[in-house]
Amino acid sequence: SSQVVWDTLGNRQFCSYKITTKTQNFCRNEYNLTGLCNRSSCPLANSQYATIREEKGRCYLYMKTIERAAFPRRLWERVLLNKNYEKALEQIDENLIYWPRFIRHKCKQRFTKITQYLIRIRKLTLKRQRKLVPLRRKIERRENRREEKALIAAQLENAIEKELLERLKQDTYGDIYNFPIHAFDKALQQQDAESESESDAEKEEDDDEDEDMAKREFVEADDSELSDFEDMDKLETSSEEEQEEEEEVEKKASHSKSKGKTPLKGPTRRKRPYIEIEYEEETEPTAKT
Amino acid sequence: GPPAPERVLFPPTFSVSEIKNKQRRHFMFLRWKQQQRKEKLAAKKKRRKEREALGDKAPPKAIPKTIENQRIYDETTVDPNDEEVAFDEATDEFAPYFNRQTVPKILITTSDRPRGRTVRFCEQLSTVIPNSHVYYRRGLALKRIIPQCIARDFTDLIVINEDRKIPNGMLLSHLPDGPTAHFRMSSVRLRKEIKRKGKEPTEHIPEVILNNFTTRLGHSIGRMFASLFPHDPQFIGRQVATFHNQRDYIFFRFHRYIFKSEKKVGIQELGPRFTLKLRSLQKGTFDSKFGEYEWIHKRREMDTSRRKFHL
């Protein structure tokens, strides 16, 4: 009758476990020994059949004989195999003694493969596991939305510019940037507020001037930028009267700034007028007198 | 006498939502909306006229409510003059950095098998942060890397986590036993995707701006960021790295600035940009199982109010 079963299911009519592909037929039955759809590997078409299956890391040998064909509940007999590989092979041999060679061979092969993949699982679990954290769509959307709004509320450019100007005001940059107008305004404000403090301010400026004089001598060896000659000329006349008060803000480090500037032409936006006030050494002595 | 009608309107009006027909309901709703808008405009005009009529005696303009205005006051907000905070900060893990005993040295790495975008992002990040090195990871456990890093004098470790070929998380760990912060990263823009960008960032040490880190937690995170950069910025380079906290989102930008006058500064964006949101802060170095968490973002408890922020 197994022949009849095979003639019906296997070859001709429909078998729900059968999967056909271009080159091969597979069998989806859980008790199938090889996984292919063959006359010798079909568990339905063979009344004497055996398989190896593993459950929770332990391997079992399942056997089916003709005598129990009428009792589906007791059809598959299950034998727990030893954890030791060789001993388990011996167990298979002794249980499947006098069984066809094909089934014995395939059982052992299947058992080998199963033990190998179990070993691999155990090894991998010791290594780092990648934990998949599912994203929640609603939360992701909410966070993205809030981020956009926070970005708009932040007004980053304004904040950065304000902070930089604050730092400039608080003199964290020291003497790098020369903005004589700034110092002039400061002096003007002091003049407006109290007339006395003005003289104090000038005295302070003189002190700074002395310090700067010493500094100035130190860096005379630097080259000046000839490209700013025109700017220089324009401003020289206007700032003649301011120069006395501005001695303190003469910048020798403007050279270092220009060094920093020329390789990077980026920030100088040609659209807006850019004025940089630099003093050349030649004119300094005349200004002093 | 007759009972005074308290809430009955004469004539009784139908509310728009009671109309069953969707088209008509929509139509009536639009009409109602237009009416509201008209009333609002009229009210505004009236108010403006009144204000002009009063002239100097007008009451001051009302300040519009913003989320920042309405923020729930956080008890852990740092007062600049707080001694306890100052004392804590003098003795915490960043003290050696702020006392200039250590020079920051950063190791940037990724999760396993980084894809192109993440790789490029790591490279750009390493140009932005001075004294940083990028090493690729092939299956190495973080816990094993960390002692090696400490042995080689690294002060900070940055791990960029990647998902579906884009970086989406960042782990920032201060090395000799320092706190570990885990961030969610979003809106990563590489240099070529930034419009109107300048040239490459140079080797000069940038300045650091930390904005809006007000609470204790924010303060410690801010210090973490500050400890990534060497102490003395080279003003010649005119580069500035900004970490701006707004509503618990930390925006990172890298700019080059130039002072056009003492009241005007121009900035030009170089460098990558990204946004971070803090997920957890751990006391020691990275340890997912036994670490002691100083702060974790718990969605159910912490996301209940729209006006409550933690950084």
Side-chain angles (χ1 to χ4, degrees):
Chain A
S1 100
S2 53
Q3 186 60 40
V4 174
V5 170
W6 178 249
D7 278 337
T8 326
L9 288 180
N11 272 341
R12 310 226 183 94
Q13 298 201 357
F14 179 75
C15 171
S16 68
Y17 296 108
K18 183 169 169 183
I19 299 180
T20 58
T21 45
K22 268 189 227 165
T23 43
Q24 271 235 341
N25 293 337
F26 294 104
C27 182
R28 259 191 327 134
N29 196 322
E30 351 163 283
Y31 288 99
N32 190 311
L33 193 50
T34 53
L36 311 171
C37 187
N38 285 329
R39 173 69 181 86
S40 43
S41 345
C42 185
L44 306 170
N46 288 312
S47 18
Q48 193 186 43
Y49 200 73
T51 332
I52 307 281
R53 279 173 74 187
E54 67 91 18
E55 230 169 284
K56 293 189 193 148
R58 300 305 307 276
C59 297
Y60 298 93
L61 170 65
Y62 284 78
M63 289 179 288
K64 161 176 136 166
T65 43
I66 315 174
E67 291 93 30
R68 298 197 300 272
F71 312 110
R73 238 175 116 239
R74 293 180 247 154
L75 186 57
W76 289 99
E77 178 192 340
R78 178 164 105 161
V79 171
L80 177 63
L81 295 174
N82 205 318
K83 272 198 192 167
N84 188 328
Y85 181 68
E86 282 96 29
K87 290 205 189 137
L89 283 182
E90 285 168 11
Q91 263 181 306
I92 294 176
D93 263 335
E94 90 183 50
N95 274 312
L96 296 183
I97 198 170
Y98 306 135
W99 280 56
R101 230 181 307 142
F102 175 78
I103 294 185
R104 255 187 287 147
H105 187 61
K106 288 295 178 187
C107 271
K108 287 188 222 164
Q109 278 190 334
R110 193 180 164 93
F111 174 69
T112 314
K113 192 120 273 171
I114 289 180
T115 46
Q116 285 174 347
Y117 83 58
L118 285 176
I119 292 172
R120 196 149 176 261
I121 291 177
R122 273 180 251 136
K123 234 191 267 183
L124 282 179
T125 51
L126 286 179
K127 282 195 186 171
R128 303 170 308 135
Q129 304 274 39
R130 187 170 293 204
K131 186 173 171 196
L132 296 174
V133 176
L135 296 176
R136 296 208 179 96
R137 205 174 305 173
K138 183 176 175 187
I139 296 179
E140 285 296 305
R141 267 196 280 155
R142 197 204 314 165
E143 294 203 335
N144 288 337
R145 196 94 175 87
R146 288 202 180 159
E147 186 191 321
E148 285 166 15
K149 297 197 169 177
L151 182 62
I152 297 172
Q155 295 176 342
L156 281 171
E157 275 102 43
N158 291 351
I160 298 176
E161 288 173 7
K162 243 200 318 185
E163 176 69 29
L164 289 170
L165 289 171
E166 275 290 316
R167 290 189 182 183
L168 182 67
K169 253 198 233 167
Q170 288 168 1
D171 247 0
T172 43
Y173 299 130
D175 292 330
I176 307 177
Y177 300 107
N178 57 334
F179 290 122
I181 312 167
H182 188 206
F184 184 58
D185 279 344
K186 250 200 204 163
L188 251 186
Q189 283 172 13
Q190 288 173 339
Q191 197 178 37
D192 290 340
E194 302 155 27
S195 52
E196 293 174 11
S197 60
E198 187 202 338
S199 47
D200 292 341
E202 280 188 5
K203 281 186 199 156
E204 289 171 18
E205 287 165 19
D206 288 335
D207 290 341
D208 291 346
E209 191 184 330
D210 293 331
E211 290 171 28
D212 269 36
M213 277 184 63
K215 286 183 204 168
R216 226 180 284 134
E217 290 175 44
F218 171 73
V219 289
E220 246 181 49
D222 286 339
D223 297 325
S224 66
E225 261 218 321
L226 297 173
S227 59
D228 288 352
F229 234 113
E230 304 161 13
D231 293 338
M232 259 285 315
D233 288 339
K234 275 185 234 157
L235 295 160
E236 213 184 294
T237 48
S238 60
S239 54
E240 276 292 327
E241 68 267 19
E242 301 168 1
Q243 274 188 19
E244 290 193 349
E245 294 175 18
E246 268 119 57
E247 300 285 34
E248 60 162 43
V249 283
E250 283 204 33
K251 298 301 161 262
K252 63 289 184 231
S254 62
H255 305 303
S256 54
K257 183 188 183 190
S258 62
K259 270 189 209 142
K261 187 171 72 99
T262 36
L264 327 148
K265 293 267 168 75
T268 52
R269 299 181 196 170
R270 316 281 164 174
K271 297 171 195 167
R272 305 187 197 176
Y274 178 71
I275 303 172
E276 187 181 66
I277 303 163
E278 289 182 352
Y279 295 87
E280 280 198 14
E281 283 88 350
E282 295 94 53
T283 55
E284 279 166 14
T286 55
K288 278 182 218 167
T289 56
Chain B
E6 289 173 11
R7 278 174 296 172
V8 175
L9 306 164
F10 283 108
T13 52
F14 293 104
S15 91
V16 174
S17 52
E18 280 173 17
I19 304 176
K20 295 288 182 180
N21 184 332
K22 182 166 177 172
Q23 264 191 328
R24 283 217 78 212
R25 191 171 63 234
H26 185 58
F27 175 73
M28 296 301 278
F29 175 73
L30 290 179
R31 200 140 65 116
W32 176 80
K33 257 296 203 215
Q34 280 176 353
Q35 211 182 5
Q36 296 290 97
R37 249 182 274 154
K38 248 194 248 173
E39 286 173 13
K40 197 170 166 190
L41 206 58
K44 237 197 212 172
K45 275 199 179 154
K46 202 172 102 172
R47 246 184 287 141
R48 206 196 307 163
K49 276 214 183 107
E50 284 174 7
R51 158 170 263 118
E52 284 174 10
L54 284 179
D56 281 333
K57 291 180 283 177
K61 263 194 178 178
I63 311 171
K65 292 190 205 173
T66 63
I67 293 185
E68 282 79 28
N69 285 347
Q70 308 291 95
R71 177 175 173 175
I72 296 177
Y73 176 70
D74 202 336
E75 310 91 49
T76 62
T77 309
V78 169
D79 185 23
N81 309 324
D82 202 347
E83 297 169 346
E84 188 190 330
V85 174
F87 177 70
D88 272 341
E89 293 187 352
T91 50
D92 76 349
E93 290 104 355
F94 297 109
Y97 166 76
F98 283 104
N99 295 337
R100 301 196 183 217
Q101 287 164 7
T102 53
V103 175
K105 190 171 170 199
I106 322 275
L107 179 70
I108 303 182
T109 182
T110 63
S111 53
D112 261 352
R113 310 257 179 151
R115 310 306 289 177
R117 223 181 127 87
T118 317
V119 165
R120 270 176 278 149
F121 176 66
C122 282
E123 287 169 25
Q124 293 182 5
L125 200 60
S126 72
T127 56
V128 162
I129 305 180
N131 206 3
S132 59
H133 307 264
V134 184
Y135 285 108
Y136 293 113
R137 215 142 68 108
R138 217 179 147 221
L140 300 167
L142 269 184
K143 285 206 215 158
R144 303 235 179 93
I145 306 184
I146 287 182
Q148 288 186 20
C149 284
I150 300 180
R152 294 192 200 175
D153 258 352
F154 279 97
T155 57
D156 288 276
L157 173 69
I158 299 182
V159 183
I160 311 273
N161 187 53
E162 186 200 352
D163 175 50
R164 290 221 196 133
K165 306 177 194 171
I166 48 166
N168 75 341
M170 174 162 114
L171 186 83
L172 171 57
S173 185
H174 190 70
L175 271 186
D177 229 31
T180 308
H182 182 42
F183 296 96
R184 168 180 177 261
M185 199 183 326
S186 45
S187 305
V188 176
R189 302 276 175 268
L190 301 176
R191 292 200 67 242
K192 63 179 184 180
E193 294 159 5
I194 298 181
K195 303 183 183 157
R196 289 185 287 275
K197 69 166 190 301
K199 294 200 175 167
E200 296 238 335
T202 57
E203 295 288 320
H204 296 112
I205 299 177
E207 291 176 53
V208 182
I209 293 183
L210 299 164
N211 269 346
N212 272 349
F213 289 96
T214 46
T215 63
R216 280 300 292 272
L217 180 64
H219 227 63
S220 42
I221 301 286
R223 299 183 91 227
M224 270 193 100
F225 286 132
S227 72
L228 291 177
F229 294 91
H231 240 294
D232 299 305
Q234 294 171 312
F235 298 123
I236 307 175
R238 282 184 289 136
Q239 296 175 139
V240 57
T242 312
F243 292 90
H244 180 105
N245 171 40
Q246 187 83 15
R247 302 183 194 177
D248 277 357
Y249 288 95
I250 303 171
F251 298 100
F252 171 82
R253 299 285 185 273
F254 194 74
H255 290 278
R256 178 162 283 133
Y257 62 88
I258 189 160
F259 284 108
K260 298 182 191 152
S261 69
E262 86 280 357
K263 295 250 163 69
K264 261 176 86 166
V265 57
I267 52 176
Q268 192 183 40
E269 185 160 7
L270 342 159
R273 65 156 86 155
F274 52 89
T275 326
L276 298 171
K277 183 158 199 261
L278 182 68
R279 268 208 272 215
S280 67
L281 180 63
Q282 227 179 20
K283 261 241 131 67
T285 54
F286 174 70
D287 197 329
S288 46
K289 281 196 247 172
F290 305 112
E292 180 198 333
Y293 281 92
E294 210 176 294
W295 188 86
I296 313 183
H297 176 77
K298 296 198 185 116
R299 188 174 57 87
R300 297 216 165 187
E301 300 167 14
M302 299 183 182
D303 267 358
T304 46
S305 163
R306 287 188 205 205
R307 291 165 194 80
K308 183 163 171 55
F309 305 112
H310 312 284
L311 277 189

